[in-house]
């Protein structure tokens, strides 16, 4: 089977990307792109999951029209959100977004009964109100009673396509309900939610064949014969597979709507310092752990653009930002007030006003403020990462859409004082495809895959510069 398709769906868009090995290089081609987003329906912010599945078939139809008769397919999406499935095998409702306000104060309520350090020692996962643990704590109890199964988003899509249910481990770990030692959903935490562990499907590792598409889909659509492979279904897990890390002293930053900054480990770290700093041990592909910090990412910039009516491109926003001195106004990007405010621009301005800083007014000043704030956050997270792991970070690999933001890459290199390597921007789809190819024996292992990635894509290096940047200079590229 020579054709591999990555279904990569993020919070704002999704793509089907065709991957092939040609002359020892991985060649990618976007086949189909579509929008994603939640809308307020039935009292909550909900994803239009049926539309996402229709878009997958639209992309597969295009492939068939190009003459591709056979392919394998892997699915990755964002984490923590889930679909409740009835005894008849149907979804009970469209899934609620992690940005929905239903989880406000729920983490505080639950951790008043189960101390945070107790939960962290069990799961090794950071504390975020959006975690599945607190979503289920806030869930309608009648809906949970009706549910026969609880499937995370990529597992649900795989189920719709093949009729087979699994709980892939890289994504399941983000629920904050997997026990690190037992390698199972934690019965004690689930008992507190009054949820039977059997409501979850069997845990399955990345690199497992899920199965062929259901026959009914071939009757409904003119699509290639397709075998679904369970990849690293959490998009960050796939992105890390697709990151050409160079050793234990390399850190990664998956930069997109969220910024996920960390390092790849062979064993989790649940020390008191890791707990205090809210670092997480998400399960990775092939027995690894993604030890990382969850940082609010380019979502803030995306919201500024949306409020501006998308009248200016992200590249133009970056150009405008560079007209002003950096670090003039700085926000705490991880403050919950920036999670999903009604008016992001007003929220930034109010924060600066409340903290006695100059108030950014123009799109350039606002973007400058966010870039400055993210760079500081990245520097601090890298310093803490080195202290917790005991390993000095010697390089940072930035992948994802944010790797194209040259100004932010240079700011980060300057503040952190280490070289930054940017690319590939399509690391998530790349990692998705690599797992498929390893499963099919085309690639030997993850090390082989990363060597292929390194030789297949342009990786731009940013060297730390000694300048007046930290004191408020502008970047001269």
């Amino acid at each position: 089977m020579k054709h591999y398709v990555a279904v990569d769906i993020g919070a704002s868009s999704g793509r089907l990307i065709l991957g092939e090995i040609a002359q020892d290089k991985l060649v990618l081609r976007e086949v189909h792109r579509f929008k994603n987003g939640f809308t307020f329906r039935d009292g909550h912010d909900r994803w239009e999951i049926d539309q996402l599945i229709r878009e997958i078939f639209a992309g597969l139809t295009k492939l068939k029209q190009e003459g591709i008769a056979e392919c394998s397919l892997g699915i990755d999406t964002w984490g923590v959100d889930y679909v409740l499935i009835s005894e008849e095998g149907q979804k009970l409702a469209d899934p609620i977004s992690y940005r929905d306000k239903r989880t406000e104060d729920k983490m505080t309520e639950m951790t008043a009964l189960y101390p945070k350090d107790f939960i962290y020692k069990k799961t090794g996962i950071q504390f975020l109100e959006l975690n599945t643990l607190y979503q289920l704590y806030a869930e309608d109890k009648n809906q949970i009673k009706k549910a026969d199964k609880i499937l995370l988003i990529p597992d649900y899509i795989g189920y719709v396509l093949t009729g087979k249910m699994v709980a892939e481990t890289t994504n399941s770990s983000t629920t904050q309900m997997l026990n690190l030692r037992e390698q199972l959903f934690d019965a004690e935490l689930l008992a507190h939610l009054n949820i039977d562990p059997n409501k979850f499907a069997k845990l399955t590792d990345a690199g497992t064949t899920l199965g062929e598409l259901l026959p009914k889909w071939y009757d409904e659509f003119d699509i290639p014969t397709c075998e679904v492979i369970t990849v690293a279904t959490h998009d960050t897990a796939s992105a890390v597979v697709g990151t050409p890390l160079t050793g234990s002293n390399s850190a990664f930053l998956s930069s997109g709507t969220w910024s996920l900054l960390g390092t790849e480990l062979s064993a989790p770290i649940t020390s008191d310092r890791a707990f205090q700093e809210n670092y997480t041990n998400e399960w990775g592909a092939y027995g690894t752990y993604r030890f990382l910090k969850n940082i609010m990412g380019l979502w803030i910039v995306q919201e500024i653009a949306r409020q501006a009516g998308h009248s200016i491109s992200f590249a133009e926003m970056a150009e405008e930002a560079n007209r002003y001195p950096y670090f003039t106004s700085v926000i705490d990007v991880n403050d919950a007030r920036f999670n999903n405010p009604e008016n992001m621009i007003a929220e930034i301005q109010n924060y600066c006003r409340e903290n006695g800083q100059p108030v950014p007014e123009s799109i350039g000043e606002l973007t400058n403020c966010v870039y400055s704030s993210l760079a500081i956050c990245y520097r601090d997270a890298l310093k803490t990462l080195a202290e917790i792991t005991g390993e000095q970070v010697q390089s940072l690999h930035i992948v994802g859409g944010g790797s194209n933001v040259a100004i932010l890459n240079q700011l980060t290199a300057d503040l952190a004082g280490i070289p930054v390597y940017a690319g590939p921007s399509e690391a998530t789809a790349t990692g998705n495809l690599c797992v498929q190819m390893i499963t099919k024996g085309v690639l030997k292992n993850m090390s082989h895959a990363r060597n292929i990635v390194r030789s297949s894509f342009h990786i731009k290096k940013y060297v730390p510069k000694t300048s007046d940047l930290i004191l408020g200079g502008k970047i001269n590229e």
Side-chain angles (χ1 to χ4, degrees):
M1 195 175 291
K2 297 180 180 179
H3 300 291
Y4 304 86
V5 179
V7 175
D8 172 29
I9 307 177
S12 58
S13 66
R15 293 87 49 77
L16 270 71
I17 293 181
L18 181 68
E20 300 170 302
I21 296 289
Q23 298 179 336
D24 292 327
K25 292 186 184 297
L26 179 59
V27 180
L28 306 185
R29 179 166 63 85
E30 184 178 291
V31 176
H32 182 58
R33 176 179 286 266
F34 50 94
K35 291 182 179 179
N36 187 26
F38 53 80
T39 55
F40 190 79
R41 288 173 286 125
D42 301 325
H44 294 285
D45 291 320
R46 297 180 184 272
W47 302 106
E48 297 185 27
I49 193 74
D50 293 343
Q51 179 60 30
L52 297 182
I53 292 168
R54 284 192 291 270
E55 295 287 1
I56 292 172
F57 285 117
L60 290 174
T61 299
K62 289 181 180 179
L63 286 174
K64 184 64 177 294
Q65 291 170 347
E66 292 179 8
I68 294 176
E70 187 179 7
C71 67
S72 76
L73 180 145
I75 304 156
D76 69 76
T77 76
W78 67 98
V80 304
D81 291 344
Y82 57 86
V83 181
L84 299 176
I85 309 297
S86 70
E87 290 184 355
E88 294 75 32
Q90 303 299 314
K91 67 178 169 69
L92 291 174
D94 278 340
I96 297 173
S97 168
Y98 61 84
R99 292 195 187 275
D100 186 82
K101 297 186 184 300
R102 67 174 176 161
T103 55
E104 287 182 357
D105 299 323
K106 297 303 179 184
M107 184 171 71
T108 302
E109 288 180 24
M110 186 167 182
T111 54
L113 300 170
Y114 279 84
K116 284 187 173 182
D117 58 347
F118 174 79
I119 296 174
Y120 190 77
K121 290 295 182 184
K122 278 178 172 289
T123 67
I125 298 297
Q126 65 190 326
F127 289 85
L128 297 169
E129 279 194 336
L130 53 80
N131 288 351
T132 317
L133 180 62
Y134 312 114
Q135 290 200 47
L136 286 171
Y137 184 75
E139 182 61 75
D140 184 317
K141 300 303 180 280
N142 289 327
Q143 287 288 84
I144 290 179
K145 286 181 182 178
K146 292 178 186 176
D148 181 61
K149 283 288 185 287
I150 302 170
L151 295 178
L152 296 177
I153 299 296
D155 295 330
Y156 173 73
I157 295 173
Y159 162 64
V160 171
L161 297 185
T162 68
K164 297 178 181 178
M165 294 186 185
V166 298
E168 192 274 324
T169 54
T170 70
N171 207 18
S172 295
S173 71
T174 69
T175 65
Q176 205 176 22
M177 296 188 297
L178 286 191
N179 188 298
L180 278 172
R181 277 79 193 172
E182 297 175 359
Q183 304 277 293
L184 295 168
F185 282 99
D186 189 85
E188 192 171 4
L189 290 176
L190 292 181
H192 184 68
L193 300 173
N194 293 314
I195 294 177
D196 185 337
N198 291 323
K199 285 186 183 287
F200 293 93
K202 181 182 177 182
L203 284 169
T204 301
D205 289 331
T208 304
T209 299
L210 184 62
E212 299 283 343
L213 295 190
L214 290 169
K216 68 176 183 180
W217 298 126
Y218 297 111
D219 294 335
E220 188 170 344
F221 301 100
D222 185 17
I223 55 178
T225 301
C226 192
E227 179 182 56
V228 179
I229 293 174
T230 299
V231 297
T233 62
H234 188 275
D235 50 12
T236 306
S238 273
V240 172
V241 173
T243 301
L245 297 171
T246 52
S248 61
N249 296 111
S250 296
F252 62 78
L253 171 58
S254 180
S255 178
T257 301
W258 290 91
S259 294
L260 296 310
L261 188 151
T263 191
E264 190 173 68
L265 301 175
S266 58
I269 298 176
T270 56
S271 64
D272 289 342
R273 181 70 191 282
F275 164 63
Q276 291 162 5
E277 298 291 347
N278 209 24
Y279 273 69
T280 199
N281 296 270
E282 296 175 354
W283 299 15
Y286 307 111
T288 61
Y289 292 87
R290 309 188 305 280
F291 185 68
L292 60 85
K293 180 79 171 179
N294 212 78
I295 299 167
M296 183 67 76
L298 296 174
W299 158 256
I300 302 178
V301 175
Q302 292 166 0
E303 280 294 280
I304 293 170
R306 184 183 65 81
Q307 282 187 243
H310 294 287
S311 59
I312 182 171
S313 70
F314 292 123
E316 290 169 334
M317 290 174 74
E319 290 176 8
E320 287 295 310
N322 202 37
R323 293 176 53 197
Y324 304 94
Y326 288 93
F327 311 107
T328 301
S329 301
V330 174
I331 61 173
D332 176 4
V333 293
N334 290 321
D335 193 310
R337 67 194 293 173
F338 301 116
N339 184 39
N340 190 21
E342 291 184 9
N343 187 317
M344 183 66 79
I345 292 175
E347 204 67 49
I348 293 170
Q349 293 170 332
N350 288 338
Y351 182 98
C352 293
R353 193 175 292 113
E354 292 163 14
N355 288 276
Q357 301 183 66
V359 177
E361 298 290 346
S362 68
I363 295 296
E365 289 173 315
L366 288 159
T367 307
N368 177 297
C369 172
V370 177
Y371 287 168
S372 298
S373 304
L374 284 172
I376 290 172
C377 198
Y378 297 160
R379 177 202 61 190
D380 294 345
L382 285 166
K383 181 175 181 291
T384 304
L385 179 68
E387 292 171 354
I388 295 173
T389 62
E391 295 278 350
Q392 190 62 42
V393 178
Q394 296 178 353
S395 63
L396 176 65
H397 293 255
I398 301 181
V399 297
S403 67
N404 295 316
V405 186
I407 290 171
L408 181 54
N409 296 340
Q410 188 64 59
L411 278 171
T412 303
D414 289 347
L415 287 189
I418 57 175
V420 167
Y421 298 90
S425 60
E426 296 290 359
T428 302
T430 298
N432 179 323
L433 293 163
C434 285
V435 171
Q436 294 183 55
M437 292 177 180
I438 292 170
T439 305
K440 288 297 182 181
V442 176
L443 300 177
K444 297 175 184 176
N445 49 37
M446 193 154 62
S447 177
H448 183 204
R450 283 174 173 162
N451 286 335
I452 291 288
V453 172
R454 195 174 295 112
S455 65
S456 300
F457 302 99
H458 173 65
I459 311 296
K460 185 172 181 180
K461 183 177 181 179
Y462 294 84
V463 179
K465 295 178 181 177
T466 303
S467 67
D468 63 347
L469 180 63
I470 296 174
L471 301 177
K474 293 183 287 187
I475 290 184
N476 296 313
E477 294 186 277

